[in-house]
Structure formats: C-alpha cells, structure tokens
Amino acid sequence: MDGKAAPNGVATIEDRILRITGYYGYYPGYSSQKREEGTQTHTESSSQEAEGQTRCQSCTSTFLKLIWRFLIILSVSSSWVGTTQFVKITFETFDCPFFMTWFSTNWNIMIFPIYYSGHLATAQEKQSPIKKFRECSRIFGEDGLTLKLFLKRTAPFSILWTLTNYLYLLALKKLTATDVSALFCCNKAFVFLLSWIVLKDRFMGARIVAAIMAITGIVMMAYADGFQGDSIIGVAYAVGSASTSALYKVLFKMFLGSANFGEAAHFVSTLGFFNFIFISVTPIILYFTKVEYWYPFSAVPWGYLCGVAGLWLGM
C-alpha cells in the first residue's frame, strides 16, 4: 500500500497510525489538509466548551444575584413588620414616641463599623479604618467630611429622618399596624411625583396612574371612619411620615447622587452622630416639661427599645 486510501473501505497505514497515536502531527507523511482539518475541529470544540462555561457562569451569577435580592427584600420586610409590632407592644407600657425615635436613631452610628467588619471579612485587600473612612467620605465632596459640610449636608437629612420615624410612631398610636404600614407604602408614589418635579425624571403614564390610585387609597381609608376622631389624625401622621420619607430620598439623590454601599453606610452613621450631638436636647426638654415623662428609670422597657432599634437598622 502506498499511503493512499485503500479500496473497499480498508483503512490506510496513515489512518491506523493516527488512530494509535491520537495526533495527526505525529506522522510526517500525513497530508497537511488533514492536519488543518483536525486543528480546526479541535479549535471549534474548545470554543464551544469555553462558550458553554461562560454561559454557565453567567447563569450562576444571575441566580446568585436573584437569591441575594430576595434575601434583602425578605430581611427588610421582616424588619419592618417586627419593628411595627415591637412599637405597638412598647406603647402599652412606655408612651414616649420621640424618645424612642431618638434612641433608635443613635444606633445608626453602628452602621459604618458593621460595614467595615464586612469589608475585613470579604475584601482581598484590607484597608485601615481611617483610610476606608476617608475613602467613603467622598460622598460629601472631594475634600471629604468637614465641619461645614457636616452641618450643611447632615442637618436637613437628620431632621427629615427624625420626622419620618416620629410621625410613623404617632400614627401607630392612632391606627392599627396594618393600616399604618399600608399608608406608609404610598411614599413610593410621592417619590415618583417629587422626582418628576424636582429631578426632572421622565414622565411615565403607568406610574402616574399608580400614584393616583395610591392617593385614592389614602382617601378611602380615611373615609372608612368618616373623616373624624383619631382615624383622620392617624392617617395624617402616616401620610406625613410617607411624605418626609419621600422628600429624604429625593434630596439624597439630588445632593449626594448615587452612593455605593460604603458611602451610604458612612452617611447613615454620620446621621447617627448628628442625632446624638444635636438632637439629644429635645428628649431632655420633653422630659422636664413632662410631655414625655417616665419614672422611675428602671421602668423603661429597655429590652423592647433595643429590639425596635435593632430591627430599625435593617430597614
């Protein structure tokens, strides 16, 4: 045989050698065309395998993101429900909504340390607390956090934060937890309306219809009890809380832009410091004027207050 294809389908010597070696380049007499065909087939096979691995990794990444988002939503919802129930129980023995708001807001100071602990646990390149703090301070500007920016940027957001939570607690004193939670969800409609007016966001017909329906729901809930008594006052408190919450979110977007997780944690901790330094005088005044008075000190339900504050961190 001369290396050509044998008749009647009999394999040539070259094919037998290739079948044994498994590599076309081992036999020098083999034609270059067959070697190119083998190389091309191998390249196509590798390309298909790489494409399959990329798709698999993409699907896995998408699935993990969905799971993570679901867990975040579940955590926030659980914290919201738990906070509302804890507040209702606390009001049975401790009727001091502003003190509860002030006490819970002070816990915001722990947000940045918690974030930094997560950074140490997950980041490959560790940063010192001071370096990480300065990096996250860029949310206030290129110069970082200065005394002027601390007062200018933090004060209005701290006031809105306190008003949102204080009005929400007042609403819980007048209405059931279910009604207050439903009314507060209208803040999404208020965010859309304010974003359209202040931030000049794109007008979307479906969202404006949703906002109108949300406002209609508020009116219907108030009408259910005849626009009188504690019901209408509770509705006003809940709507006021939703409005200040929406204003807080829109102003945050307007002045501070899109913050990453570290910058947001830094900002919330800064709000906690501002609350502790400047707002602390308010519960003291309310105590001595006996607007919010508790005595003896041991009668304060610290367990429930810590539960409210801890759950509020997850919201």
Side-chain angles (χ1 to χ4, degrees), residues 94 294-303:
F94 188 73
W294 64 91
Y295 185 83
F297 189 77
S298 58
V300 178
W302 294 109

Side-chain angles (χ1 to χ4, degrees), residues 112-169:
F112 186 78
I114 293 174
Y115 162 76
Y116 183 73
S117 300
H119 163 75
L120 291 179
T122 58
Q124 295 181 351
E125 297 182 1
K126 316 295 183 183
Q127 293 181 343
S128 65
I130 297 178
K131 185 177 180 180
K132 194 64 178 176
F133 183 85
R134 289 176 178 174
E135 178 183 321
C136 295
S137 296
R138 294 175 183 173
I139 189 174
F140 293 96
E142 293 297 330
D143 297 331
L145 182 61
T146 61
L147 179 60
K148 180 180 179 181
L149 288 175
F150 174 72
L151 297 174
K152 181 179 179 181
R153 294 289 176 86
T154 309
F157 289 103
S158 180
I159 293 172
L160 288 173
W161 180 287
T162 301
L163 279 176
T164 297
N165 296 329
Y166 180 58
L167 292 174
Y168 187 84
L169 296 185

Side-chain angles (χ1 to χ4, degrees), residues 38-97:
T39 303
Q40 184 178 1
T41 303
H42 179 71
T43 303
E44 291 177 355
S45 177
S46 301
S47 177
Q48 291 177 356
E49 291 180 0
E51 184 178 356
Q53 291 178 355
T54 302
R55 289 180 180 178
C56 183
Q57 293 175 354
S58 178
C59 292
T60 303
S61 177
T62 302
F63 178 74
L64 291 177
K65 287 181 179 179
L66 291 175
I67 294 296
W68 176 246
R69 291 172 182 175
F70 173 76
L71 292 176
I72 291 176
I73 294 173
L74 183 62
S75 175
V76 172
S77 302
S78 301
S79 298
W80 190 268
V81 173
T83 300
T84 303
Q85 297 302 324
F86 263 94
V87 170
K88 295 291 287 185
I89 295 173
T90 306
F91 276 150
E92 295 177 0
T93 57
F94 188 73
D95 189 11
C96 299

Side-chain angles (χ1 to χ4, degrees), residues 3-315:
K4 304 296 182 178
N8 300 324
V10 179
T12 64
I13 296 176
E14 294 95 327
D15 290 332
R16 293 177 181 177
I17 295 175
L18 291 174
R19 191 176 300 169
I20 297 173
T21 61
Y23 181 56
Y24 297 125
Y26 285 173
Y27 187 68
Y30 201 70
S31 65
S32 60
Q33 181 179 359
K34 290 188 177 182
R35 286 199 298 269
E36 290 176 358
E37 291 176 355
T39 303
Q40 184 178 1
T41 303
H42 179 71
T43 303
E44 291 177 355
S45 177
S46 301
S47 177
Q48 291 177 356
E49 291 180 0
E51 184 178 356
Q53 291 178 355
T54 302
R55 289 180 180 178
C56 183
Q57 293 175 354
S58 178
C59 292
T60 303
S61 177
T62 302
F63 178 74
L64 291 177
K65 287 181 179 179
L66 291 175
I67 294 296
W68 176 246
R69 291 172 182 175
F70 173 76
L71 292 176
I72 291 176
I73 294 173
L74 183 62
S75 175
V76 172
S77 302
S78 301
S79 298
W80 190 268
V81 173
T83 300
T84 303
Q85 297 302 324
F86 263 94
V87 170
K88 295 291 287 185
I89 295 173
T90 306
F91 276 150
E92 295 177 0
T93 57
F94 188 73
D95 189 11
C96 299
F98 193 89
F99 180 83
M100 293 171 62
T101 301
W102 171 83
F103 180 80
S104 299
T105 305
N106 286 336
W107 281 46
N108 287 351
I109 297 173
M110 297 189 298
I111 293 293
F112 186 78
I114 293 174
Y115 162 76
Y116 183 73
S117 300
H119 163 75
L120 291 179
T122 58
Q124 295 181 351
E125 297 182 1
K126 316 295 183 183
Q127 293 181 343
S128 65
I130 297 178
K131 185 177 180 180
K132 194 64 178 176
F133 183 85
R134 289 176 178 174
E135 178 183 321
C136 295
S137 296
R138 294 175 183 173
I139 189 174
F140 293 96
E142 293 297 330
D143 297 331
L145 182 61
T146 61
L147 179 60
K148 180 180 179 181
L149 288 175
F150 174 72
L151 297 174
K152 181 179 179 181
R153 294 289 176 86
T154 309
F157 289 103
S158 180
I159 293 172
L160 288 173
W161 180 287
T162 301
L163 279 176
T164 297
N165 296 329
Y166 180 58
L167 292 174
Y168 187 84
L169 296 185
L170 290 178
L172 285 173
K173 293 178 62 177
K174 304 292 183 180
L175 301 174
T176 64
T178 303
D179 291 342
V180 175
S181 298
L183 289 169
F184 187 81
C185 289
C186 295
N187 71 333
K188 306 299 186 295
F190 297 150
V191 167
F192 167 69
L193 294 175
L194 289 174
S195 299
W196 179 39
I197 297 172
V198 178
L199 302 179
K200 308 299 181 183
D201 283 356
R202 186 180 61 173
F203 177 83
M204 296 183 66
R207 291 185 179 179
I208 194 65
V209 172
I212 294 174
M213 293 179 66
I215 296 173
T216 303
I218 295 174
V219 176
M220 294 299 294
M221 292 187 71
Y223 177 76
D225 291 324
F227 293 98
Q228 60 184 359
D230 290 343
S231 176
I232 188 63
I233 297 175
V235 170
Y237 285 147
V239 174
S241 177
S243 301
T244 52
S245 174
L247 184 59
Y248 174 95
K249 295 174 182 178
V250 172
L251 291 180
F252 186 94
K253 180 70 174 180
M254 180 178 180
F255 291 108
L256 301 176
S258 299
N260 58 38
F261 190 71
E263 292 172 344
H266 181 286
F267 184 77
V268 174
S269 291
T270 306
L271 289 182
F273 274 110
F274 185 92
N275 179 80
F276 181 75
I277 297 172
F278 295 101
I279 309 296
S280 296
V281 65
T282 305
I284 296 175
I285 294 174
L286 295 177
Y287 176 83
F288 284 106
T289 56
K290 296 190 176 181
V291 175
E292 290 190 0
Y293 183 78
W294 64 91
Y295 185 83
F297 189 77
S298 58
V300 178
W302 294 109
Y304 287 129
L305 290 179
C306 291
V308 171
L311 289 171
W312 230 322
L313 289 178
M315 295 163 57

